[in-house]
Amino acid sequence: MRQLKLNRAFTLIEPGPVVLVTTHDGRKNNVMTISWTMVVDFTPVFAITTGEWNHSFAALRKHRECVIAVPTVDLLDEVVGIGTCSGAAMDKFARFRLTPVRGKIVKAPLIKECLANIECRVIDIVKKHDIVVLEGVAAHVDAAREERRTIHAVGDGTFIVDGRRLNRRKMMTSKIPQGV
Amino acid sequence: MRQLKLNRAFTLIEPGPVVLVTTHDGRKNNVMTISWTMVVDFTPVFAITTGEWNHSFAALRKHRECVIAVPTVDLLDEVVGIGTCSGAAMDKFARFRLTPVRGKIVKAPLIKECLANIECRVIDIVKKHDIVVLEGVAAHVDAAREERRTIHAVGDGTFIVDGRRLNRRKMMTSKIPQGV
């Protein structure tokens, strides 16, 4: 995986793909499927909605680190599988044949099979709304990957695959951060 | 527009489309383009990132109401245009030929040309992160509309259009809220 400039990392999350979030509890890796994500700042800062109902939350709260991994459509069944079982009962990396890769900064693993990975630190937990605020500290992309279409969870058990891409860069010049 | 059951409204936002958010300041309507959104609860609760830099924010903070309108790909140029000018200087509904429609509960207008509209009340503003937390109080969809593909902002001036839809309802039975 190639490093991606941090000022471009928000472009991985802004389109709203379903993501995998990895944690490390000091002993073992875990991974959860999260569709409720949001960019909060270009720097980048992200928000995810999670709480006690996810087994990963304890490691996230204690170690204050995670990796947001962006899967593509060929991983849909893994994404759904990871989202419908608990890391309390099994090693999800082994169960879904995902390869943990050591990151540059955090102890939570990157996922080799994913299109992109963003190493993050927890900068705040807004308990009242179960919102965890994350700062991206390093980003990686698999530039060689052929399948690059991400997937968008609808929430009713269906998923929308990325279709064509339209360009409005000229109209948007004033709004695009420098270098993006 | 037909009313949509409130327990299904989160499925409009979970896939991560770019949306239009309307407000009414007691005197006039305004509308802004927002790509930084997140579902926070099925009930439904949503988060959006916005602040003083958006002219609409003053009306949102004061009147504590808005409408999240979901545009489709045929409205891309309006979405980009709305996102690159300010309601301080013009009537954006007139400028972009959008038709304001009276909602059921809030004073902010629905947008007739959009696929769906969710009337919302502001339930919290997390000032530290510029996160506005919204509760959906009524939802509407244009069931007759032919074009139903939404658009996902990448943040670099490009947009991804919805592609095909894949079904994993059987695998996800345990995770889909009742009636969705």
Side-chain angles (χ1 to χ4, degrees):
Chain A
M1 259 174 290
R2 194 184 73 188
Q3 273 209 223
L4 176 73
K5 278 191 192 162
L6 259 183
N7 70 343
R8 282 190 57 83
F10 81 94
T11 65
L12 298 166
I13 303 306
E14 177 151 339
V18 59
V19 298
L20 300 174
V21 175
T22 79
T23 50
H24 184 82
D25 70 0
R27 203 167 54 86
K28 57 188 181 58
N29 297 324
N30 197 9
V31 55
M32 61 180 164
T33 298
I34 293 276
S35 183
W36 295 359
T37 73
M38 171 170 73
V39 179
V40 175
D41 203 349
F42 297 109
T43 46
V45 178
F46 307 104
I48 66 175
T49 299
T50 182
E52 310 277 2
W53 63 89
N54 279 320
H55 182 65
S56 299
F57 184 70
L60 194 60
R61 186 172 45 193
K62 184 171 174 199
H63 297 276
R64 302 187 78 82
E65 291 182 346
C66 67
V67 168
I68 304 176
V70 183
T72 47
V73 62
D74 48 316
L75 294 170
L76 177 57
D77 288 330
E78 286 79 357
V79 166
V80 173
I82 290 164
T84 49
C85 69
S86 172
M90 72 184 76
D91 175 347
K92 293 207 250 183
F93 273 82
R95 168 78 181 79
F96 296 101
R97 298 166 193 256
L98 299 177
T99 315
V101 175
R102 204 189 161 80
K104 196 182 141 205
I105 297 177
V106 307
K107 293 215 175 70
L110 316 181
I111 301 176
K112 183 169 179 259
E113 289 73 17
C114 283
L115 171 65
N117 285 271
I118 308 169
E119 299 182 48
C120 295
R121 286 206 179 108
V122 174
I123 56 173
D124 200 8
I125 296 179
V126 185
K127 191 76 199 81
K128 188 176 169 191
H129 301 294
D130 298 308
I131 292 174
V132 178
V133 184
L134 303 169
E135 182 184 18
V137 291
H140 314 261
V141 284
D142 183 349
R145 211 170 192 298
E146 252 183 65
E147 179 59 80
R148 308 186 78 81
R149 291 173 302 163
T150 68
I151 34 186
H152 305 263
V154 175
D156 63 355
T158 67
F159 295 82
I160 297 164
V161 185
D162 284 352
R164 59 190 292 231
R165 191 182 282 239
L166 303 174
N167 189 326
R168 292 295 184 278
R169 282 184 74 90
K170 270 189 199 159
M171 278 179 79
M172 284 187 64
T173 310
S174 65
K175 290 288 180 177
I176 303 170
Q178 195 143 26
V180 176
Chain B
M1 259 175 290
R2 195 185 71 190
Q3 276 212 217
L4 177 73
K5 278 191 192 164
L6 259 183
N7 70 343
R8 282 193 56 86
F10 81 95
T11 66
L12 298 167
I13 303 305
E14 176 151 338
V18 59
V19 298
L20 300 174
V21 175
T22 79
T23 49
H24 184 82
D25 69 1
R27 205 168 52 88
K28 57 190 182 54
N29 297 323
N30 196 11
V31 55
M32 60 180 164
T33 297
I34 294 275
S35 183
W36 295 0
T37 72
M38 171 170 73
V39 178
V40 175
D41 203 348
F42 298 108
T43 43
V45 178
F46 307 103
I48 66 175
T49 299
T50 183
E52 309 277 2
W53 63 87
N54 279 322
H55 182 66
S56 298
F57 184 69
L60 195 58
R61 186 173 44 193
K62 184 172 175 198
H63 296 276
R64 302 185 78 82
E65 290 182 347
C66 66
V67 168
I68 303 176
V70 182
T72 47
V73 63
D74 49 315
L75 293 171
L76 176 58
D77 288 328
E78 286 78 358
V79 166
V80 174
I82 289 163
T84 50
C85 69
S86 172
M90 73 184 77
D91 175 347
K92 293 208 251 185
F93 272 83
R95 168 79 182 76
F96 296 100
R97 296 165 193 260
L98 298 177
T99 315
V101 174
R102 202 189 163 83
K104 195 181 141 205
I105 296 177
V106 309
K107 292 213 175 72
L110 317 181
I111 300 176
K112 183 169 180 258
E113 288 74 16
C114 283
L115 171 65
N117 286 271
I118 308 169
E119 301 182 46
C120 295
R121 286 208 179 106
V122 174
I123 56 174
D124 200 8
I125 296 179
V126 185
K127 192 77 199 79
K128 187 176 169 191
H129 302 293
D130 298 310
I131 292 173
V132 178
V133 184
L134 303 169
E135 181 184 18
V137 291
H140 315 261
V141 284
D142 183 349
R145 212 170 192 298
E146 251 182 65
E147 179 60 79
R148 307 185 79 80
R149 292 174 301 162
T150 68
I151 36 187
H152 304 264
V154 175
D156 63 355
T158 66
F159 295 82
I160 297 164
V161 184
D162 284 352
R164 58 191 292 230
R165 191 182 282 237
L166 302 174
N167 189 326
R168 292 296 183 279
R169 282 185 75 91
K170 269 188 202 160
M171 279 178 79
M172 285 187 63
T173 310
S174 65
K175 290 287 180 178
I176 304 170
Q178 195 144 26
V180 174

